[in-house]
Amino acid sequence: MMKVSRRAFSKGCVIAASGLAIGDATQAWAQIEGEKYKVGKKHPVPSIQDTETPAEKNARLQWFREARFGMFVHWGLYSIPAGRWDGKEVPGIGEWIMNRASIPVADYKALAPKFNPTQFNAEEIVGLAKSAGMKYIVITAKHHDGFAMFESKADPFNIVDATPFKRDPMKELAAECRKQDMKLGFYYSQDQDWTAPGGAAYKTGDHKPPTFHWDPAQDGNYAEYLRKKSIPQMRELLTNYGDFPVIVWFDTPTKDMTPELAGEVVKLLNEHPKLIWNNRLGGDYSGDTETPEQYIPAQGYPGRDWESCMTMNDTWGYKQDDKNFKSTETLLRNLIDIASKGGNYLLNIGPMQTGEVPVEEVERLREVGKWLAVNGESIYATQPTLFGAEAGAFSATEKDKEGKPKFVPSWKWRSTTKSNEVYIHLFEWPGSTFHLDKMPRNVTGAYLLSDNAKTPLKVTKSGGGLDIALPGQMPDPIATVLVLTTA
Ligand code: GLC
């Protein structure tokens, strides 16, 4: 049996916990509960990551590493209450409403006959991702509420059998993704399930240990739940949608997911050797990707693939009262910051009960897409910065929540790299020249990416550094990209 590096994974958690918080309204469950993700010494069932060669891994992850930008979609029955229950706003993220408001199973299940999202349009959603410059979509096929947003023979609590809508949005999305050259992944809550007997629940409020259930209808045996509902549904998702999903996005494992039970899931995953899956399966498996939630790690995860998932406001699932949307400037600079550290940005939308996407989200995505249409070359398929210090520095005096030196980001510029180019994303116009103290490559020329004529900018070398003469005005106030050609 393979040995799995404990260092690689637990180190990931440490970095994650000291990471840079950006708009941190919802803290990362994964990272708070980091303990659960520790890598054990042995896997009862070796996973693809244990057995493949580095070359095989590179081939498997290539598209993901080049993609840099994906769309997360949180959509389910929770879009009906949209953050309010019994006339009151329920604090916290929208898709957690059942748990946060201790809604009995029968009452929550009664939402299904009311779910009729006739405005859902797969062509439009995939088109929106496309126009935003996103390369893949990950959608909640089943969230913690246990409701399957796909046709399922394994469990009747699903969108085809339990709603008047009767359509399978996953099928429609898969068809559209194929048409529009978009990749599709499925989020599946393999462990928490609040409407199926035996499904797990995270602790909330006064819910009692050891199960943290709030309704006897939730009680049961977890292994039985996993074998009867979770694994069969994952099998459906992995076999009924052709070449999709390319990603399975697990979430919130608990102690219930022992290495042995996770091994049963891994057996199924191993039947799909192109699949990419994240670090949230549980049972000591570290998967392919680190998943920092609602923040960008200070220095990325050298040696690990990663994806920062973030909301545009403060909720994943739609909440009618949450209008706290980040600006296009913040979203775009987050994308650039992430690319400069070698990660992907999985940016969320939360469609409404009608199936429509909130207009604030559509607007922002279109704006990000406009920038990418001009500057995408500096984001997709790039390597991280050659510099690093531009991202910010650890404070000598200030401490973070864990008592470690706090990372203080700087927002002047970022950089990405290709074999013959260094891209500098300027957030502030430095005046008539941009100066670099050190330049590890030989620069042969410079121009602005938004300048179709590629008008050469004057490069002056001095010692190991250089200066590039800039025009008087900053062409794009959010981020102007300077290209340095290198030999
Ligand atoms: C969390 C939440 C969940 C959300 C996810 C996205 O773990 O439980 O509601 O889907 O993060 O990363």
Side-chain angles (χ1 to χ4, degrees):
M1 211 137 296
M2 290 288 303
K3 275 207 169 174
V4 179
S5 154
R6 165 175 281 273
R7 184 195 47 84
F9 195 48
S10 46
K11 195 169 156 238
C13 291
V14 173
I15 299 172
S18 64
L20 152 69
I22 290 186
D24 64 347
T26 48
Q27 246 301 356
W29 288 100
Q31 278 76 37
I32 292 171
E33 304 284 327
E35 274 300 287
K36 298 189 183 88
Y37 291 88
K38 273 191 191 150
V39 172
K41 290 185 190 80
K42 274 183 192 168
H43 287 157
V45 178
S47 63
I48 187 152
Q49 298 88 359
D50 297 333
T51 55
E52 71 193 337
T53 65
E56 284 165 343
K57 174 151 195 182
N58 290 341
R60 189 166 61 87
L61 277 125
Q62 190 183 347
W63 76 262
F64 181 84
R65 291 173 181 164
E66 291 178 356
R68 288 289 175 258
F69 195 24
M71 174 185 271
F72 216 174
V73 185
H74 276 70
W75 189 42
L77 291 182
Y78 38 81
S79 64
I80 301 176
R84 284 191 207 161
W85 199 256
D86 283 340
K88 271 186 246 125
E89 192 186 341
V90 179
I93 41 185
E95 71 284 4
W96 273 70
I97 192 164
M98 181 182 177
N99 189 323
R100 292 277 154 82
S102 308
I103 300 171
V105 171
D107 294 0
Y108 193 85
K109 281 192 157 181
L111 290 170
K114 296 188 192 136
F115 194 46
N116 197 13
T118 52
Q119 301 306 302
F120 169 75
N121 184 324
E123 185 184 350
E124 270 175 32
I125 291 191
V126 178
L128 177 62
K130 193 95 190 170
S131 70
M134 292 160 150
K135 303 292 187 189
Y136 62 106
I137 296 175
V138 178
I139 182 164
T140 49
K142 189 202 83 172
H143 206 268
H144 310 329
D145 64 355
F147 180 70
M149 291 289 285
F150 57 98
E151 182 170 18
S152 175
K153 303 264 181 293
D155 190 279
F157 190 44
N158 71 71
I159 190 161
V160 172
D161 294 316
T163 78
F165 188 54
K166 297 195 191 309
R167 282 159 50 190
D168 179 345
M170 303 301 126
K171 193 162 264 164
E172 294 177 22
L173 282 169
E176 266 314 312
C177 282
R178 240 166 258 132
K179 258 196 216 154
Q180 299 194 42
D181 190 25
M182 181 71 57
K183 296 201 183 297
L184 182 64
F186 293 141
Y187 170 111
Y188 188 88
S189 181
Q190 79 286 6
D191 196 321
Q192 289 203 81
D193 189 317
W194 305 327
T195 48
Y202 267 37
K203 180 178 189 297
T204 294
D206 57 3
H207 299 164
K208 300 276 176 303
T211 62
F212 304 111
H213 289 162
W214 55 94
D215 180 336
Q218 298 169 316
D219 294 343
N221 178 285
Y222 178 70
E224 236 169 74
Y225 158 77
L226 184 76
R227 291 177 186 138
K228 264 194 170 152
K229 179 170 177 182
S230 200
I231 291 178
Q233 285 201 328
M234 284 188 255
R235 182 171 292 115
E236 291 177 328
L237 286 169
L238 284 163
T239 47
N240 292 350
Y241 301 90
D243 41 344
F244 297 132
V246 290
I247 293 176
V248 173
W249 220 96
F250 296 112
D251 204 7
T252 59
T254 68
K255 282 194 226 65
D256 286 345
M257 186 64 93
T258 59
E260 288 67 30
L261 289 178
E264 295 184 25
V265 177
V266 167
K267 249 186 227 162
L268 170 64
L269 301 175
N270 284 347
E271 292 169 22
H272 302 271
K274 287 189 182 161
L275 202 63
I276 294 173
W277 43 282
N278 69 3
N279 65 339
R280 299 189 185 186
L281 170 61
D284 293 349
Y285 286 90
S286 55
D288 294 305
T289 51
E290 295 298 316
T291 52
E293 183 173 315
Q294 301 288 31
Y295 70 89
I296 301 171
Q299 295 163 315
Y301 298 90
R304 276 284 277 171
D305 291 286
W306 61 279
E307 181 188 59
S308 274
C309 52
M310 294 197 191
T311 51
M312 280 197 230
N313 48 1
D314 296 319
T315 181
W316 303 92
Y318 178 69
K319 267 188 107 170
Q320 54 194 309
D321 295 311
D322 185 345
K323 298 285 175 206
N324 190 27
F325 288 96
K326 295 166 192 75
S327 64
T328 302
E329 177 180 286
T330 297
L331 301 175
L332 200 42
R333 289 183 178 178
N334 283 350
L335 170 64
I336 297 167
D337 187 29
I338 289 167
S340 81
K341 295 167 181 172
N344 284 7
Y345 191 25
L346 187 63
L347 183 59
N348 185 69
I349 62 166
M352 300 181 276
Q353 63 166 314
T354 56
E356 292 159 295
V357 180
V359 60
E360 296 89 342
E361 298 178 350
V362 174
E363 277 168 13
R364 282 161 179 75
L365 289 181
R366 295 240 159 93
E367 284 167 13
V368 171
K370 269 190 209 145
W371 185 91
L372 278 167
V374 176
N375 299 293
E377 178 194 316
S378 71
I379 300 293
Y380 305 120
T382 55
Q383 298 294 317
T385 178
L386 296 176
F387 312 100
E390 71 277 13
F394 289 98
S395 165
T397 48
E398 277 182 277
K399 306 271 184 233
D400 66 14
K401 283 179 208 148
E402 289 203 321
K404 298 194 179 113
K406 186 175 165 188
F407 187 77
V408 184
S410 162
W411 291 101
K412 293 200 171 104
W413 59 279
R414 290 291 183 275
S415 176
T416 56
T417 317
K418 279 187 183 165
S419 40
N420 297 313
E421 286 91 11
V422 169
Y423 300 98
I424 309 282
H425 307 82
L426 297 166
F427 299 148
E428 277 175 19
W429 208 232
S432 55
T433 72
F434 175 72
H435 174 79
L436 279 170
D437 281 339
K438 275 188 199 135
M439 179 64 211
R441 289 186 187 175
N442 179 25
V443 174
T444 55
Y447 59 90
L448 296 180
L449 194 49
S450 55
D451 175 11
N452 288 333
K454 299 193 179 179
T455 314
L457 301 173
K458 189 163 178 266
V459 179
T460 313
K461 298 182 186 174
S462 53
L466 78 170
D467 283 275
I468 294 118
L470 296 174
Q473 294 264 314
M474 183 166 177
D476 188 319
I478 295 187
T480 295
V481 183
L482 174 62
V483 187
L484 309 180
T485 51
T486 63

